[in-house]
Coordinates of all heavy atoms in Angstrom, one line a residue:
M1 N 96.9 -2.2 -87.8 CA 96.7 -2.7 -86.5 C 95.3 -2.3 -86.0 O 94.8 -1.3 -86.3 CB 97.7 -2.0 -85.6 CG 97.5 -2.2 -84.1 SD 98.7 -1.3 -83.1 CE 100.0 -2.5 -83.0
K2 N 94.6 -3.3 -85.3 CA 93.3 -3.0 -84.8 C 93.3 -2.4 -83.5 O 94.1 -2.8 -82.6 CB 92.5 -4.4 -84.7 CG 92.0 -4.9 -86.1 CD 91.0 -6.0 -85.9 CE 90.4 -6.4 -87.2 NZ 89.4 -7.3 -87.1
L3 N 92.5 -1.4 -83.3 CA 92.4 -0.7 -82.0 C 91.0 -0.6 -81.5 O 90.0 -0.6 -82.3 CB 92.9 0.8 -82.2 CG 94.3 1.0 -82.7 CD1 94.6 2.4 -83.0 CD2 95.3 0.5 -81.7
K4 N 90.8 -0.6 -80.2 CA 89.5 -0.4 -79.6 C 89.5 1.1 -79.0 O 90.4 1.4 -78.2 CB 89.2 -1.4 -78.5 CG 87.8 -1.2 -77.9 CD 87.5 -2.3 -76.9 CE 86.1 -2.1 -76.4 NZ 85.8 -3.1 -75.5
V5 N 88.6 1.9 -79.5 CA 88.6 3.3 -79.0 C 88.0 3.3 -77.6 O 87.0 2.7 -77.3 CB 87.7 4.1 -80.0 CG1 87.6 5.5 -79.5 CG2 88.2 4.1 -81.4
T6 N 88.7 4.0 -76.7 CA 88.3 4.1 -75.3 C 87.6 5.4 -75.0 O 86.9 5.5 -74.0 CB 89.5 3.9 -74.4 OG1 90.5 4.9 -74.7 CG2 90.2 2.5 -74.5
T7 N 87.9 6.4 -75.8 CA 87.3 7.7 -75.6 C 86.8 8.3 -76.9 O 87.5 8.2 -77.9 CB 88.3 8.7 -75.0 OG1 88.9 8.1 -73.8 CG2 87.7 10.0 -74.7
T8 N 85.6 8.8 -76.9 CA 85.1 9.4 -78.2 C 86.0 10.5 -78.6 O 86.4 11.4 -77.7 CB 83.7 9.9 -78.0 OG1 82.8 8.8 -77.6 CG2 83.1 10.5 -79.3
Y9 N 86.4 10.6 -79.8 CA 87.2 11.7 -80.3 C 86.9 12.0 -81.8 O 86.2 11.2 -82.5 CB 88.7 11.3 -80.2 CG 89.3 10.3 -81.2 CD1 90.0 10.7 -82.3 CD2 89.0 8.9 -81.1 CE1 90.5 9.9 -83.2 CE2 89.5 8.1 -82.1 CZ 90.2 8.5 -83.1 OH 90.7 7.7 -84.1
H10 N 87.5 13.1 -82.3 CA 87.3 13.5 -83.6 C 88.6 13.2 -84.4 O 89.6 13.7 -84.1 CB 87.0 15.0 -83.7 CG 86.7 15.5 -85.1 ND1 85.5 15.3 -85.8 CD2 87.5 16.1 -86.0 CE1 85.6 15.8 -87.0 NE2 86.8 16.3 -87.1
D11 N 88.5 12.4 -85.4 CA 89.6 12.0 -86.3 C 89.7 13.1 -87.4 O 88.9 13.2 -88.3 CB 89.4 10.7 -86.9 CG 90.7 10.1 -87.5 OD1 91.5 11.0 -88.1 OD2 90.9 8.9 -87.5
R12 N 90.8 13.9 -87.3 CA 91.0 15.0 -88.2 C 91.3 14.6 -89.6 O 90.9 15.2 -90.6 CB 92.1 16.0 -87.7 CG 91.7 16.7 -86.5 CD 92.7 17.8 -86.1 NE 92.8 17.9 -84.7 CZ 93.8 18.3 -84.0 NH1 94.9 18.6 -84.7 NH2 93.8 18.3 -82.7
K13 N 92.0 13.5 -89.7 CA 92.4 12.9 -91.0 C 91.2 12.5 -91.8 O 91.1 12.7 -93.0 CB 93.4 11.8 -90.9 CG 94.8 12.3 -90.5 CD 95.8 11.1 -90.5 CE 97.2 11.7 -90.2 NZ 98.2 10.7 -90.5
E14 N 90.2 11.9 -91.1 CA 89.0 11.4 -91.8 C 87.9 12.3 -91.7 O 86.8 12.1 -92.2 CB 88.7 10.0 -91.3 CG 89.8 9.0 -91.7 CD 89.4 7.6 -91.2 OE1 88.2 7.3 -90.9 OE2 90.3 6.7 -91.2
D15 N 88.0 13.4 -90.8 CA 87.0 14.3 -90.5 C 85.7 13.7 -90.0 O 84.6 14.0 -90.5 CB 86.7 15.3 -91.7 CG 86.0 16.5 -91.3 OD1 86.2 17.0 -90.2 OD2 85.2 17.0 -92.1
I16 N 85.8 12.8 -89.1 CA 84.6 12.1 -88.5 C 84.8 12.0 -87.0 O 85.9 11.9 -86.5 CB 84.4 10.7 -89.1 CG1 85.6 9.8 -89.0 CG2 84.0 10.8 -90.6 CD1 85.3 8.4 -89.4
D17 N 83.7 11.8 -86.3 CA 83.8 11.5 -84.9 C 83.7 10.0 -84.7 O 83.0 9.3 -85.4 CB 82.5 12.1 -84.1 CG 82.6 13.6 -84.0 OD1 83.8 14.2 -84.0 OD2 81.6 14.3 -84.0
I18 N 84.6 9.5 -83.8 CA 84.6 8.1 -83.6 C 84.2 7.8 -82.1 O 84.9 8.4 -81.2 CB 86.0 7.5 -83.9 CG1 86.3 7.8 -85.4 CG2 86.1 6.0 -83.6 CD1 87.7 7.3 -85.8
A19 N 83.2 7.0 -81.9 CA 82.6 6.8 -80.6 C 83.5 5.8 -79.8 O 84.1 4.9 -80.4 CB 81.2 6.3 -80.7
A20 N 83.4 5.9 -78.5 CA 84.1 4.9 -77.6 C 83.5 3.6 -77.8 O 82.3 3.4 -78.0 CB 84.0 5.4 -76.2
G21 N 84.4 2.5 -77.8 CA 83.9 1.2 -78.0 C 84.0 0.7 -79.4 O 83.8 -0.5 -79.7
T22 N 84.3 1.6 -80.3 CA 84.4 1.2 -81.8 C 85.7 0.5 -82.0 O 86.8 0.9 -81.4 CB 84.3 2.5 -82.6 OG1 83.2 3.2 -82.3 CG2 84.3 2.2 -84.1
I23 N 85.7 -0.4 -82.9 CA 87.0 -1.1 -83.3 C 87.4 -0.5 -84.6 O 86.6 -0.5 -85.6 CB 86.7 -2.6 -83.5 CG1 86.1 -3.3 -82.2 CG2 88.0 -3.3 -83.9 CD1 86.9 -3.1 -81.0
I24 N 88.6 0.0 -84.7 CA 89.1 0.6 -85.9 C 90.4 0.0 -86.3 O 91.1 -0.6 -85.6 CB 89.3 2.2 -85.7 CG1 90.3 2.4 -84.5 CG2 88.0 2.9 -85.5 CD1 90.6 3.9 -84.4
E25 N 90.8 0.2 -87.6 CA 92.0 -0.3 -88.1 C 92.9 0.9 -88.6 O 92.4 1.8 -89.3 CB 91.8 -1.2 -89.3 CG 93.0 -1.8 -90.0 CD 93.2 -3.3 -89.7 OE1 92.2 -3.9 -89.3 OE2 94.3 -3.8 -89.9
R26 N 94.1 1.0 -88.0 CA 95.0 2.1 -88.3 C 96.4 1.5 -88.6 O 96.7 0.4 -88.1 CB 95.1 3.1 -87.2 CG 93.8 3.8 -86.9 CD 93.4 4.8 -88.0 NE 92.3 5.6 -87.8 CZ 91.0 5.3 -88.2 NH1 90.8 4.2 -88.8 NH2 90.0 6.0 -87.9
D27 N 97.2 2.3 -89.3 CA 98.6 1.9 -89.6 C 99.4 1.9 -88.3 O 98.9 2.6 -87.3 CB 99.3 2.7 -90.7 CG 99.3 4.2 -90.3 OD1 99.8 4.5 -89.2 OD2 98.9 5.0 -91.2
E28 N 100.5 1.3 -88.2 CA 101.3 1.2 -87.0 C 101.7 2.5 -86.4 O 101.5 2.7 -85.2 CB 102.6 0.4 -87.3 CG 103.3 -0.1 -86.2 CD 102.7 -1.4 -85.6 OE1 102.1 -2.1 -86.4 OE2 103.0 -1.7 -84.4
E29 N 102.1 3.5 -87.2 CA 102.5 4.8 -86.7 C 101.3 5.6 -86.1 O 101.4 6.1 -85.0 CB 103.0 5.7 -87.8 CG 103.6 7.0 -87.4 CD 104.1 7.8 -88.6 OE1 104.7 7.2 -89.5 OE2 104.0 9.0 -88.6
R30 N 100.1 5.6 -86.8 CA 98.9 6.3 -86.3 C 98.4 5.6 -85.0 O 98.0 6.2 -84.1 CB 97.9 6.3 -87.3 CG 96.6 7.0 -87.0 CD 96.9 8.5 -87.0 NE 95.6 9.2 -86.7 CZ 95.5 10.2 -85.9 NH1 96.6 10.8 -85.4 NH2 94.3 10.8 -85.6
A31 N 98.5 4.2 -85.0 CA 98.1 3.5 -83.8 C 98.9 3.9 -82.5 O 98.3 4.0 -81.5 CB 98.2 2.0 -84.0
K32 N 100.2 4.0 -82.7 CA 101.0 4.4 -81.6 C 100.6 5.8 -81.0 O 100.6 6.0 -79.8 CB 102.5 4.4 -82.0 CG 103.0 3.0 -82.1 CD 104.5 3.0 -82.5 CE 105.0 1.6 -82.7 NZ 106.4 1.6 -83.1
I33 N 100.3 6.7 -81.9 CA 99.9 8.0 -81.5 C 98.6 8.0 -80.8 O 98.4 8.6 -79.7 CB 99.7 8.9 -82.8 CG1 101.1 9.2 -83.4 CG2 99.0 10.3 -82.4 CD1 101.0 9.9 -84.8
L34 N 97.6 7.2 -81.2 CA 96.3 7.1 -80.6 C 96.4 6.4 -79.2 O 95.8 6.8 -78.2 CB 95.3 6.4 -81.4 CG 94.9 7.1 -82.7 CD1 94.1 6.2 -83.6 CD2 94.1 8.4 -82.4
I35 N 97.3 5.4 -79.1 CA 97.5 4.7 -77.9 C 98.2 5.7 -76.9 O 97.8 5.7 -75.7 CB 98.3 3.4 -78.1 CG1 97.4 2.4 -78.8 CG2 98.7 2.8 -76.7 CD1 98.2 1.2 -79.3
G36 N 99.2 6.4 -77.4 CA 99.9 7.4 -76.5 C 99.0 8.5 -76.0 O 99.2 9.0 -74.9
A37 N 98.0 8.9 -76.8 CA 97.1 9.9 -76.4 C 96.0 9.3 -75.5 O 95.1 10.1 -75.0 CB 96.4 10.6 -77.6
K38 N 96.0 8.0 -75.2 CA 95.0 7.3 -74.4 C 93.6 7.5 -74.9 O 92.7 7.6 -74.2 CB 95.1 7.8 -72.9 CG 96.4 7.5 -72.3 CD 96.5 7.8 -70.9 CE 97.9 7.5 -70.3 NZ 98.0 7.7 -68.9
V39 N 93.5 7.5 -76.3 CA 92.3 7.5 -76.9 C 91.8 6.1 -77.3 O 90.7 5.8 -77.5 CB 92.4 8.4 -78.2 CG1 91.1 8.4 -79.0 CG2 92.6 9.8 -77.8
A40 N 92.8 5.2 -77.5 CA 92.5 3.9 -77.9 C 93.5 2.9 -77.3 O 94.6 3.3 -76.8 CB 92.6 3.8 -79.5
E41 N 93.2 1.6 -77.4 CA 94.1 0.6 -76.9 C 94.1 -0.5 -78.0 O 93.2 -0.6 -78.8 CB 93.6 0.0 -75.6 CG 92.2 -0.5 -75.6 CD 91.7 -0.9 -74.2 OE1 92.2 -0.3 -73.2 OE2 90.8 -1.8 -74.1
E42 N 95.2 -1.3 -77.9 CA 95.3 -2.4 -78.9 C 94.2 -3.4 -78.7 O 93.8 -3.8 -77.6 CB 96.6 -3.1 -78.8 CG 96.9 -4.0 -79.9 CD 98.3 -4.6 -79.9 OE1 99.2 -4.1 -79.2 OE2 98.6 -5.5 -80.7
Y43 N 93.5 -3.8 -79.8 CA 92.4 -4.7 -79.8 C 92.9 -6.1 -80.0 O 93.5 -6.4 -81.0 CB 91.4 -4.3 -80.8 CG 90.2 -5.3 -80.8 CD1 89.3 -5.3 -79.8 CD2 90.0 -6.1 -81.9 CE1 88.2 -6.2 -79.8 CE2 88.9 -7.0 -82.0 CZ 88.0 -7.0 -80.9 OH 86.9 -7.8 -80.9
V44 N 92.6 -7.0 -79.1 CA 93.0 -8.4 -79.3 C 91.7 -9.2 -79.3 O 90.9 -9.2 -78.4 CB 93.9 -8.9 -78.1 CG1 94.2 -10.3 -78.2 CG2 95.1 -8.0 -77.9
E45 N 91.5 -9.9 -80.4 CA 90.3 -10.7 -80.6 C 90.4 -11.9 -79.8 O 91.4 -12.6 -79.8 CB 90.1 -11.0 -82.0 CG 89.8 -9.8 -82.9 CD 89.5 -10.2 -84.3 OE1 88.6 -11.0 -84.6 OE2 90.2 -9.7 -85.2
E46 N 89.3 -12.2 -79.0 CA 89.2 -13.4 -78.3 C 88.0 -14.2 -78.8 O 86.9 -13.6 -78.9 CB 89.1 -13.2 -76.8 CG 90.4 -12.7 -76.1 CD 90.2 -12.7 -74.6 OE1 89.1 -12.3 -74.1 OE2 91.2 -13.0 -73.9
T47 N 88.2 -15.4 -79.0 CA 87.0 -16.2 -79.5 C 86.2 -16.5 -78.2 O 86.6 -16.5 -77.1 CB 87.4 -17.5 -80.2 OG1 88.1 -18.3 -79.3 CG2 88.3 -17.2 -81.4
A48 N 84.9 -16.9 -78.5 CA 84.0 -17.3 -77.4 C 84.6 -18.5 -76.6 O 84.4 -18.6 -75.4 CB 82.6 -17.5 -77.9
E49 N 85.2 -19.4 -77.4 CA 85.8 -20.6 -76.7 C 86.9 -20.2 -75.8 O 87.0 -20.8 -74.7 CB 86.3 -21.5 -77.8 CG 85.2 -22.2 -78.7 CD 85.8 -23.0 -79.8 OE1 87.0 -23.1 -79.9 OE2 85.0 -23.5 -80.6
E50 N 87.8 -19.3 -76.1 CA 88.9 -18.8 -75.3 C 88.3 -18.2 -74.0 O 88.8 -18.5 -72.9 CB 89.8 -17.9 -76.0 CG 90.6 -18.5 -77.1 CD 91.4 -17.4 -77.9 OE1 91.1 -16.2 -77.7 OE2 92.2 -17.8 -78.7
V51 N 87.3 -17.4 -74.1 CA 86.7 -16.7 -73.0 C 86.0 -17.8 -72.1 O 86.2 -17.7 -70.8 CB 85.7 -15.7 -73.4 CG1 84.9 -15.1 -72.2 CG2 86.4 -14.5 -74.2
A52 N 85.3 -18.7 -72.7 CA 84.7 -19.8 -71.9 C 85.7 -20.6 -71.1 O 85.5 -21.0 -70.0 CB 83.8 -20.7 -72.8
E53 N 86.8 -20.9 -71.8 CA 87.9 -21.7 -71.1 C 88.4 -20.9 -69.9 O 88.7 -21.5 -68.9 CB 89.0 -22.0 -72.1 CG 88.6 -23.1 -73.1 CD 89.7 -23.3 -74.2 OE1 90.8 -22.7 -74.1 OE2 89.4 -24.0 -75.1
E54 N 88.6 -19.6 -70.1 CA 89.2 -18.8 -68.9 C 88.2 -18.9 -67.8 O 88.6 -19.0 -66.6 CB 89.4 -17.4 -69.4 CG 90.6 -17.2 -70.3 CD 90.7 -15.8 -70.8 OE1 90.0 -14.9 -70.3 OE2 91.5 -15.6 -71.8
V55 N 86.9 -18.8 -68.1 CA 85.9 -18.8 -67.0 C 85.8 -20.1 -66.3 O 85.7 -20.2 -65.1 CB 84.5 -18.4 -67.6 CG1 83.4 -18.6 -66.5 CG2 84.5 -16.9 -68.1
L56 N 85.9 -21.2 -67.1 CA 85.9 -22.5 -66.5 C 87.1 -22.8 -65.7 O 87.0 -23.6 -64.7 CB 85.8 -23.6 -67.7 CG 84.4 -23.6 -68.4 CD1 84.5 -24.6 -69.5 CD2 83.3 -24.0 -67.4
E57 N 88.2 -22.2 -66.0 CA 89.4 -22.5 -65.2 C 89.4 -21.9 -63.8 O 90.0 -22.4 -62.9 CB 90.7 -21.9 -65.9 CG 91.0 -22.7 -67.2 CD 92.1 -22.0 -68.0 OE1 92.6 -20.9 -67.6 OE2 92.5 -22.5 -69.0
E58 N 88.6 -20.9 -63.6 CA 88.4 -20.3 -62.3 C 87.5 -21.1 -61.4 O 86.5 -21.6 -61.8 CB 87.9 -18.9 -62.4 CG 88.8 -17.9 -63.0 CD 88.2 -16.5 -63.0 OE1 87.1 -16.3 -62.6 OE2 88.9 -15.6 -63.4
T59 N 88.0 -21.3 -60.2 CA 87.1 -22.0 -59.2 C 86.2 -21.1 -58.5 O 86.5 -19.9 -58.5 CB 88.0 -22.8 -58.2 OG1 88.7 -21.8 -57.4 CG2 89.0 -23.7 -58.8
P60 N 85.1 -21.5 -57.9 CA 84.2 -20.6 -57.2 C 85.0 -19.8 -56.1 O 84.6 -18.7 -55.8 CB 83.2 -21.5 -56.6 CG 83.2 -22.7 -57.5 CD 84.6 -22.9 -58.0
E61 N 86.0 -20.4 -55.5 CA 86.7 -19.7 -54.4 C 87.5 -18.6 -55.0 O 87.5 -17.5 -54.4 CB 87.7 -20.7 -53.7 CG 87.0 -21.8 -52.9 CD 86.6 -23.0 -53.8 OE1 87.1 -23.2 -54.9 OE2 85.7 -23.7 -53.3
E62 N 88.1 -18.7 -56.2 CA 88.8 -17.6 -56.8 C 87.9 -16.5 -57.2 O 88.2 -15.3 -57.0 CB 89.5 -18.1 -58.1 CG 90.7 -19.1 -57.8 CD 91.2 -19.7 -59.1 OE1 90.6 -19.6 -60.2 OE2 92.4 -20.2 -59.1
V63 N 86.7 -16.8 -57.7 CA 85.7 -15.8 -58.1 C 85.3 -15.0 -56.8 O 85.2 -13.8 -56.8 CB 84.5 -16.4 -58.8 CG1 83.5 -15.4 -59.0 CG2 85.0 -17.1 -60.1
A64 N 85.1 -15.8 -55.7 CA 84.6 -15.1 -54.5 C 85.7 -14.2 -53.9 O 85.4 -13.1 -53.4 CB 84.3 -16.2 -53.4
E65 N 87.0 -14.5 -54.1 CA 88.1 -13.7 -53.6 C 88.1 -12.4 -54.4 O 88.5 -11.4 -53.9 CB 89.4 -14.4 -53.8 CG 89.6 -15.6 -52.8 CD 90.8 -16.4 -53.0 OE1 91.6 -16.0 -53.9 OE2 91.0 -17.4 -52.3
E66 N 87.7 -12.4 -55.7 CA 87.8 -11.2 -56.6 C 86.8 -10.2 -56.2 O 86.9 -9.0 -56.5 CB 87.7 -11.6 -58.0 CG 88.9 -12.4 -58.5 CD 88.7 -12.9 -60.0 OE1 87.7 -12.5 -60.6 OE2 89.5 -13.7 -60.4
I67 N 85.7 -10.6 -55.6 CA 84.6 -9.7 -55.3 C 84.8 -9.1 -53.9 O 84.8 -9.9 -52.9 CB 83.2 -10.5 -55.3 CG1 83.0 -11.1 -56.7 CG2 82.1 -9.5 -55.0 CD1 81.8 -12.0 -56.8
P68 N 85.0 -7.8 -53.8 CA 85.1 -7.2 -52.5 C 83.9 -7.3 -51.7 O 82.8 -7.3 -52.2 CB 85.5 -5.8 -52.8 CG 85.1 -5.5 -54.2 CD 85.0 -6.9 -54.9
E69 N 84.0 -7.3 -50.4 CA 82.9 -7.4 -49.5 C 81.9 -6.2 -49.6 O 80.7 -6.4 -49.5 CB 83.4 -7.5 -48.0 CG 82.9 -8.7 -47.3 CD 83.4 -8.8 -45.9 OE1 82.8 -8.1 -45.0 OE2 84.5 -9.4 -45.7
E70 N 82.5 -5.1 -49.9 CA 81.7 -3.9 -50.0 C 80.7 -4.0 -51.2 O 79.7 -3.3 -51.3 CB 82.6 -2.6 -50.2 CG 83.5 -2.4 -49.1 CD 84.9 -1.9 -49.5 OE1 85.1 -1.7 -50.7 OE2 85.7 -1.7 -48.6
A71 N 81.1 -4.8 -52.2 CA 80.3 -4.9 -53.4 C 79.1 -5.8 -53.2 O 78.3 -5.9 -54.1 CB 81.1 -5.3 -54.6
S72 N 79.1 -6.5 -52.1 CA 78.0 -7.5 -51.9 C 76.7 -6.7 -51.8 O 76.6 -5.6 -51.4 CB 78.3 -8.3 -50.7 OG 78.3 -7.5 -49.5
V73 N 75.6 -7.4 -52.0 CA 74.3 -6.8 -52.0 C 73.9 -6.5 -50.5 O 74.0 -7.4 -49.7 CB 73.2 -7.7 -52.6 CG1 71.8 -7.1 -52.6 CG2 73.6 -8.0 -54.1
K74 N 73.5 -5.3 -50.3 CA 73.1 -4.9 -48.9 C 71.6 -4.4 -49.0 O 71.2 -3.8 -50.0 CB 74.0 -3.8 -48.4 CG 75.4 -4.2 -48.2 CD 76.2 -3.1 -47.6 CE 77.6 -3.6 -47.4 NZ 78.5 -2.5 -46.9
E75 N 70.9 -4.7 -47.9 CA 69.5 -4.2 -47.9 C 69.5 -2.7 -47.6 O 70.3 -2.2 -46.8 CB 68.7 -4.9 -46.8 CG 68.5 -6.4 -47.1 CD 67.6 -7.0 -46.0 OE1 66.9 -6.3 -45.3 OE2 67.7 -8.2 -45.8
K76 N 68.6 -2.0 -48.3 CA 68.4 -0.6 -48.0 C 67.7 -0.4 -46.7 O 66.8 -1.1 -46.4 CB 67.6 0.0 -49.2 CG 68.3 0.0 -50.5 CD 67.4 0.7 -51.5 CE 68.0 0.8 -52.8 NZ 67.2 1.4 -53.8
P77 N 68.1 0.6 -46.0 CA 67.4 0.9 -44.7 C 66.0 1.4 -45.0 O 65.8 2.1 -46.0 CB 68.2 2.0 -44.1 CG 69.0 2.6 -45.2 CD 69.2 1.5 -46.2
K78 N 65.0 1.0 -44.2 CA 63.7 1.4 -44.5 C 63.5 2.8 -43.9 O 63.8 3.1 -42.8 CB 62.7 0.5 -43.8 CG 62.7 -0.9 -44.4 CD 61.7 -1.8 -43.8 CE 61.7 -3.2 -44.5 NZ 60.7 -4.0 -44.0
G79 N 63.0 3.7 -44.7 CA 62.7 5.1 -44.3 C 61.3 5.3 -44.0 O 60.5 4.4 -44.0
R80 N 61.0 6.6 -43.7 CA 59.6 6.9 -43.4 C 58.8 6.9 -44.7 O 59.3 7.3 -45.8 CB 59.6 8.3 -42.8 CG 60.2 8.3 -41.5 CD 60.2 9.7 -40.8 NE 59.2 10.6 -41.3 CZ 59.3 11.9 -41.2 NH1 60.3 12.4 -40.6 NH2 58.3 12.7 -41.6
K81 N 57.5 6.6 -44.6 CA 56.6 6.6 -45.7 C 56.2 8.1 -45.9 O 56.0 8.8 -45.0 CB 55.4 5.8 -45.5 CG 55.7 4.3 -45.5 CD 54.4 3.5 -45.4 CE 54.7 2.0 -45.5 NZ 53.5 1.2 -45.5
K82 N 56.2 8.5 -47.2 CA 55.8 9.8 -47.5 C 54.2 9.9 -47.5 O 53.6 9.0 -48.0 CB 56.3 10.2 -48.8 CG 57.8 10.4 -48.8 CD 58.3 10.8 -50.2 CE 59.8 10.9 -50.2 NZ 60.3 11.3 -51.5
T83 N 53.7 10.9 -46.8 CA 52.3 11.0 -46.8 C 51.9 12.3 -47.6 O 52.7 13.3 -47.5 CB 51.7 11.1 -45.4 OG1 52.4 12.1 -44.7 CG2 51.9 9.7 -44.7
N84 N 50.8 12.3 -48.1 CA 50.4 13.5 -48.9 C 49.1 14.0 -48.2 O 48.0 13.6 -48.6 CB 50.1 13.1 -50.4 CG 49.9 14.3 -51.2 OD1 50.0 15.5 -50.8 ND2 49.5 14.1 -52.5
P85 N 49.2 14.9 -47.3 CA 48.0 15.4 -46.6 C 47.2 16.3 -47.6 O 47.7 17.1 -48.3 CB 48.6 16.3 -45.5 CG 49.9 16.7 -45.9 CD 50.4 15.6 -46.8
K86 N 45.9 16.0 -47.6 CA 45.0 16.8 -48.4 C 43.9 17.4 -47.6 O 43.4 17.0 -46.7 CB 44.4 15.9 -49.5 CG 45.4 15.6 -50.5 CD 44.8 14.8 -51.7 CE 45.8 14.5 -52.7 NZ 45.3 13.8 -53.9

């Protein structure tokens, strides 16, 4: 079973460190242990075409609804200029 590592951990059986984001292959029993420990999650391969189709299916209104108002870009307040008296 293919897994995507979510947290960097040390694999004692192979005596190596495995970084987060790595895709690994483990047997069914070991995969369940890693998923249960929240170290990895099942990896499902998506082709670029499938991802593109999902994006195309969303309308601009749906995308706008997903973005919270707080996440919108806000202007920074203008502060005082720092001066360096010499």
